[in-house]
Amino acid sequence: MAFTGFNAAGIDLLQLNRLQNSKDFYEEHKEEIKQKVILPFHELIAQMTPAMLEIDAQFVVTPSRMVSRVRRDTRYTKDKTLYRSNMWMFFRRKRQEHESVPCYYFEIHPEFWGFGCWGAWGRGEMESLREMILHEDKLFLEAYDAVQSCPQMHLDGEMYKRPKFPDAKPHYQNWLNRKEIGVDFRETTDFAPLLDGSFVQPMVQTMQRLAPFYRFLLTAKERAEATRREAVQ
């Protein structure tokens, strides 16, 4: 079926399911959650896939491997709440378990909806990024221009308390001083585009404009992996 937007009742049901925090409640409403939340994600993926594969032909496009689960993994967290009130999906390449790979994401939450592109979580990836930034590598300059061309997106990622390269160009500092890096769009007041599906085309167009940023993240991962291989030879 064609994607026509998300169901407000489905978003409310996710939040209620989290508040109930009950396996019995979840099982009773499992099919309704599937119809009102999970299937719309699958329909959205189908609509986005042709354009996203133009960005990276290696993206995994099997919906069951792209959409978050309603049931939370509570093994490694102090928060033992069984279910989540938000849901998201990734466009990313195939990965090993727990491996970090650059990705595009889209998320719905009772308090906001948004999307973006993230990466550089893995060991050595930010070092590779910083090297490209400091040398004004062509890939970085293209990524920088791409982000600048999308004023609705904001650069994000945890910052170091002190500048790592205080003598670098001032307009690069916001890139250099992060522990990981990504760009985000978040909407907290206007849910109408989410509910009627009109957000899709502008979102995909923005993701396409951000393709140089995605390639920048991907190259950093590849260079970091190459450096690690050389170190063990």
Side-chain angles (χ1 to χ4, degrees):
M1 294 179 63
F3 177 72
T4 57
F6 283 94
N7 190 308
I11 298 173
D12 291 342
L13 180 57
L14 277 179
Q15 188 171 28
L16 179 59
N17 184 58
R18 177 179 173 85
L19 292 172
Q20 291 290 327
N21 198 32
S22 161
K23 184 177 179 181
D24 289 341
F25 183 89
Y26 172 71
E27 291 297 333
E28 182 181 348
H29 295 86
K30 185 176 182 179
E31 184 59 28
E32 187 179 0
I33 292 172
K34 178 180 178 181
Q35 295 297 324
K36 292 183 177 179
V37 182
I38 298 174
L39 286 183
F41 266 101
H42 290 194
E43 293 162 359
L44 175 60
I45 288 168
Q47 182 170 328
M48 293 176 65
T49 289
M52 298 304 291
L53 288 178
E54 292 179 4
I55 298 173
D56 189 342
Q58 296 186 51
F59 278 144
V60 173
V61 292
T62 304
S64 61
R65 297 174 60 190
M66 301 168 68
V67 180
S68 61
R69 297 177 179 177
V70 178
R71 177 67 160 87
R72 297 179 64 248
D73 184 349
T74 59
R75 291 175 296 173
Y76 309 110
T77 177
K78 293 181 180 179
D79 181 1
K80 300 303 180 182
T81 306
L82 297 176
Y83 304 99
R84 65 180 80 259
S85 59
N86 61 322
M87 293 285 288
W88 63 86
M89 69 178 191
F90 291 120
F91 275 93
R92 62 188 175 191
R93 291 182 173 184
K94 183 179 179 180
R95 68 189 188 115
Q96 302 296 323
E97 188 175 6
H98 303 307
E99 179 188 14
S100 64
V101 296
C103 69
Y104 286 90
Y105 80 90
F106 166 77
E107 180 180 7
I108 61 172
H109 186 282
E111 297 179 358
F112 66 86
W113 61 273
F115 62 90
C117 182
W118 274 79
W121 299 286
R123 183 161 57 93
E125 291 178 31
M126 278 306 303
E127 287 82 353
S128 295
L129 285 178
R130 294 188 191 101
E131 183 177 347
M132 284 189 276
I133 294 169
L134 293 170
H135 288 88
E136 295 189 310
D137 187 288
K138 180 175 181 289
L139 286 170
F140 163 65
L141 295 177
E142 291 174 348
Y144 183 87
D145 287 344
V147 173
Q148 293 297 109
S149 75
C150 301
Q152 73 274 36
M153 308 300 293
H154 69 274
L155 201 67
D156 205 351
E158 185 180 357
M159 300 283 286
Y160 287 101
K161 293 182 179 180
R162 296 180 179 180
K164 295 184 73 67
F165 299 93
D167 297 329
K169 293 182 178 180
H171 50 289
Y172 294 165
Q173 294 294 333
N174 199 28
W175 294 64
L176 288 166
N177 296 316
R178 296 189 182 275
K179 299 180 181 181
E180 70 282 319
I181 196 165
V183 289
D184 292 313
F185 168 84
R186 180 171 290 192
E187 177 58 60
T188 60
T189 58
D190 186 6
F191 281 75
L194 184 73
L195 302 179
D196 65 20
S198 61
F199 74 93
V200 180
Q201 183 176 355
M203 177 180 72
V204 171
Q205 290 174 342
T206 299
M207 289 179 169
Q208 289 175 322
R209 285 199 297 272
L210 289 170
F213 180 72
Y214 169 75
R215 289 193 290 269
F216 176 56
L217 300 177
L218 197 62
T219 300
K221 177 178 176 60
E222 292 168 349
R223 292 186 181 183
E225 290 174 346
T227 298
R228 290 198 298 270
R229 287 195 299 268
E230 291 173 1
V232 299
Q233 289 179 353

